[in-house]
Amino acid sequence: MDNVEFWDSNRKIIRSQAGGARIGEGTAYSRGYSVLEELVGEISYFQMLVLNVTGNLVSRRLGEWIEATFLCMSWPDSRIWCNQVGAFGGTTKASPVSSVTAGILASDSKLYGPGTVRGATHFITSALRRVNEGQTLEEVIYSHSRKPGAQPTIPGYARPIAYGDERIEAMEKVRKKLRLDCGPHLELAFKVQEFLLDKHGESMNLAGYIMAFLSDQGMTAEQIYRIYALCVNNGIHACYAEAYDNPPESFLPLRCEDIEYTGHAPRPVPDK
Amino acid sequence: MATEKTRNPQTRLRGERFADKITTRLWQEIPSPGNPYIARSSRCHGYQLSELIEKRSYADVVFLLFKGELPTAKQSRLLESLMIGLINPGPRHPATRSAISAAVSKTHPEHLLPIALSVLSGAHLGAAEVSQAMRFISKNMGVPPGDAAKRLLRTEEKAGQGDWHIAPGFGSRFGGEDLLTADLAEALCRHADEEGPLLWARAFVECLPPCSMGWLPTGLAAAVFCDLGFSHRSGPGLFQLISAPGLLAHGLEFANKPITSVPFIDNDHYVMNMKRRPRSG
């Protein structure tokens, strides 16, 4: 008989440090707080999100800063890949939940969206550690080059289609308005940007900025990934709604000739 | 301004050249003369779909779609056997249970499969593990399987409680060997390429500690996909595709049943062990 004690100890029972409801008794808890008596009407949705993910009840100011970053990723432009997925759901009359969920799943990407969180956070936290251990910024940066001296590929820097990221300036205004400090990770993130701008014309993107700031707030890569899982949902909602409200399949329809076939010439199917 | 010491780089287009249209090598739609949006016929890698329907199996056409050529008889048999063998992750798999939970709570039936497949995407017995296992097999194929197993047993350490996958796709299931997958692997190995990835993986499994470790469904799928020459990127989706019928069938079994037809953990067995931390940030 295999040792199944560990699985037996979890059978037919749930133990939770996150919280839960006393169903039928009218009470619910999150991380030790009574949801209805202490949180509803007292804290923001984003404070609650961070609380549920990390177990920490952060300040309203930090919750507002995180909310502002979500706004920065809420562009209702159906050319953006995840938004386009939502619009395709709308044009085929899929449900809003299905379409927005599909769009969010599309944003779990190596190129943009929450899928970039782990890489960007690992870069800035390891870069700060290495600089504090005595490596030069140049050494740290070029350790991300495929060949010595070649343009490095650094998560959190560069962006699809455009150079620069205007959202960082907007978020810096928010940070200062909310009197939130610029910590060592964010300081270093800007220094990396200065170096890359001088040498390669590349700059930090919003993900790199957010990860650096939240690393200064003591959050881990996994925690940030979880908090930002839905970060693009707002723009997808808009693109879904607009496509849904128009006639079906009228969003970017394609003629047969709009797809260029480059494959095998016609051939008979061989008998088995 | 960002900080006093930094510039705000100007945003501008990179000026990349995007394709004028989508191109595909795998599917050709021939428009009808009267309406350019309506396809009159379609071909898969050059074969008329209507002719494939007449002459080939579903597994053959799946192989054709992903590989560009029809399979040999041996390849066809191997893929079809895998598709039957892994058609259902079983009612205890978390992906299946997510379909059941959704169905019994009256989720729209069209959502059941996407829900279950999302849960079947993970790095533990899910699609992500298939990709990792394919990479593991490809990377180690040049190494004698015994040496690869010895190295892993020497260098890898079990992390925490629960099962130990000594390599992606290989290890313990509930503390023991997954016997059903072991039996399925034996059956599939009869259709394998000599000296190919599937037989290498079998030899690797034979070098793992007996009775406590062995094949996992993800490792078996990965070995077969490698044997058939599928790319690492196609592995996760193919695994989901193959598992989809069982997930959906289990969900549908509960779609019309009352919410009381599956267990619900009562308050006495939902134990909250919360530590309230001071406010931060």
Side-chain angles (χ1 to χ4, degrees):
Chain A
M1 178 77 177
D2 296 326
N3 182 3
V4 294
E5 193 181 332
F6 168 69
W7 288 277
D8 277 345
S9 70
N10 286 288
R11 197 167 157 250
K12 298 185 179 181
I13 188 165
I14 297 173
R15 295 180 189 85
S16 174
Q17 295 179 358
R22 302 305 297 176
I23 295 176
E25 297 172 16
T27 54
Y29 301 92
S30 170
R31 303 288 187 176
Y33 292 92
S34 166
V35 175
L36 298 179
E37 290 174 15
E38 296 179 277
L39 302 179
V40 172
E42 298 295 326
I43 67 168
S44 71
Y45 178 86
F46 280 86
Q47 283 177 282
M48 181 81 174
L49 178 60
V50 176
L51 176 66
N52 274 330
V53 169
T54 68
N56 293 325
L57 181 53
V58 297
S59 69
R60 181 171 280 273
R61 289 180 297 133
L62 182 53
E64 280 182 32
W65 186 90
I66 294 171
E67 182 174 347
T69 63
F70 272 58
L71 290 180
C72 286
M73 291 177 274
S74 298
W75 294 359
D77 186 324
S78 55
R79 292 173 301 172
I80 297 169
W81 306 272
C82 55
N83 291 354
Q84 193 159 110
V85 170
F88 284 132
T91 203
T92 52
K93 305 294 177 190
S95 83
V97 179
S98 186
S99 304
V100 173
T101 304
I104 289 166
L105 203 49
S107 75
D108 199 7
S109 146
K110 290 177 187 168
L111 199 62
Y112 74 107
T116 62
V117 167
R118 279 184 181 140
T121 311
H122 289 150
F123 166 72
I124 198 63
T125 52
S126 71
L128 183 62
R129 179 177 44 76
R130 290 167 67 182
V131 166
N132 287 341
E133 285 169 358
Q135 290 188 38
T136 66
L137 191 58
E138 189 169 351
E139 284 171 335
V140 171
I141 288 171
Y142 282 120
S143 68
H144 291 264
S145 298
R146 286 193 175 170
K147 292 177 189 170
Q151 180 163 337
T153 306
I154 300 179
Y157 292 81
R159 182 185 182 197
I161 301 182
Y163 292 102
D165 198 327
E166 62 285 352
R167 297 169 294 183
I168 293 173
E169 187 182 358
M171 280 309 306
E172 274 294 274
K173 285 180 186 161
V174 174
R175 182 180 69 75
K176 288 169 185 169
K177 184 179 157 193
L178 293 169
R179 301 187 313 282
L180 292 164
D181 292 336
C182 176
H185 290 94
L186 190 54
E187 283 279 357
L188 181 65
F190 279 120
K191 284 180 187 165
V192 173
Q193 169 169 270
E194 286 296 300
F195 186 95
L196 290 175
L197 273 171
D198 282 343
K199 302 285 183 188
H200 301 287
E202 285 293 0
S203 58
M204 184 162 40
N205 62 37
L206 183 65
Y209 171 80
I210 292 172
M211 303 323 139
F213 177 80
L214 291 180
S215 295
D216 283 329
Q217 301 299 317
M219 292 189 195
T220 66
E222 282 307 308
Q223 288 173 335
I224 302 170
Y225 196 8
R226 293 165 189 172
I227 290 167
Y228 279 82
L230 305 181
C231 63
V232 297
N233 80 304
N234 214 322
I236 304 171
H237 276 281
C239 298
Y240 165 80
E242 186 163 56
Y244 187 95
D245 291 341
N246 284 319
E249 277 203 89
S250 63
F251 177 75
L252 284 180
L254 294 174
R255 289 181 169 201
C256 293
E257 71 202 40
D258 292 332
I259 303 283
E260 185 178 344
Y261 178 67
T262 58
H264 206 288
R267 50 183 168 166
V269 178
D271 291 322
K272 220 169 176 181
Chain B
M1 293 294 290
T3 72
E4 281 60 46
K5 297 173 225 163
T6 59
R7 288 169 276 173
N8 289 317
Q10 192 187 355
T11 305
R12 66 185 198 284
L13 284 172
R14 288 184 183 274
E16 295 151 311
R17 185 168 165 75
F18 286 83
D20 292 329
K21 52 167 69 175
I22 294 172
T23 61
T24 175
R25 289 187 303 113
L26 64 90
W27 201 266
Q28 184 179 23
E29 290 185 326
I30 295 98
S32 76
N35 186 333
Y37 288 93
I38 303 264
R40 184 68 193 85
S41 65
S42 52
R43 294 194 191 98
C44 178
H45 289 290
Y47 297 118
Q48 194 74 248
L49 187 62
S50 53
E51 205 182 342
L52 287 167
I53 291 169
E54 292 295 322
K55 294 184 175 174
R56 289 291 171 154
S57 67
Y58 179 71
D60 283 3
V61 181
V62 168
F63 187 95
L64 171 67
L65 257 174
F66 288 86
K67 293 280 293 172
E69 296 296 337
L70 285 161
T72 64
K74 203 172 172 184
Q75 288 171 325
S76 173
R77 186 69 199 272
L78 179 58
L79 180 58
E80 178 134 349
S81 301
L82 182 76
M83 291 175 86
I84 295 171
L86 298 185
I87 199 168
N88 186 5
R92 293 180 298 126
H93 192 292
T96 315
R97 290 163 65 191
S98 69
I100 293 171
S101 287
V104 82
S105 58
K106 300 295 167 280
T107 300
H108 295 298
E110 61 270 27
H111 297 336
L112 295 179
L113 192 53
I115 289 166
L117 290 180
S118 292
V119 175
L120 194 71
S121 67
H124 181 89
L125 300 178
E129 189 173 30
V130 174
S131 178
Q132 293 166 7
M134 289 177 79
R135 288 178 195 280
F136 165 74
I137 293 168
S138 301
K139 194 175 165 190
N140 286 276
M141 273 285 292
V143 179
D147 291 355
K150 269 185 210 160
R151 178 180 56 79
L152 288 168
L153 288 166
R154 196 177 57 243
T155 58
E156 296 295 306
E157 282 185 23
K158 185 176 186 299
Q161 291 178 302
D163 278 322
W164 185 20
H165 294 191
I166 190 161
F170 303 92
S172 66
R173 183 91 196 268
F174 294 114
E177 184 186 2
D178 182 341
L179 300 174
L180 286 176
T181 305
D183 288 348
L184 177 60
E186 273 316 296
L188 294 182
C189 282
R190 290 199 286 274
H191 310 297
D193 256 355
E194 281 178 32
E195 298 183 14
L198 182 51
L199 293 187
W200 182 91
R202 178 170 72 172
F204 172 76
V205 167
E206 284 168 357
C207 299
L208 296 179
C211 304
S212 61
M213 280 191 188
W215 287 102
L216 297 167
T218 43
L220 179 58
V224 171
F225 294 153
C226 287
D227 227 53
L228 293 172
F230 289 117
S231 73
H232 298 158
R233 285 198 178 88
S234 29
L238 281 170
F239 180 72
Q240 289 171 307
L241 180 74
I242 287 172
S243 310
L247 298 172
L248 179 59
H250 278 296
L252 289 174
E253 192 178 17
F254 285 89
N256 203 30
K257 288 187 177 172
I259 203 163
T260 51
S261 58
V262 298
F264 187 85
I265 301 289
D266 61 31
N267 283 344
D268 290 343
H269 292 87
Y270 190 91
V271 182
M272 286 186 256
N273 180 22
M274 298 173 288
K275 283 181 190 159
R276 185 161 160 161
R277 295 182 203 155
R279 285 179 177 242
S280 63

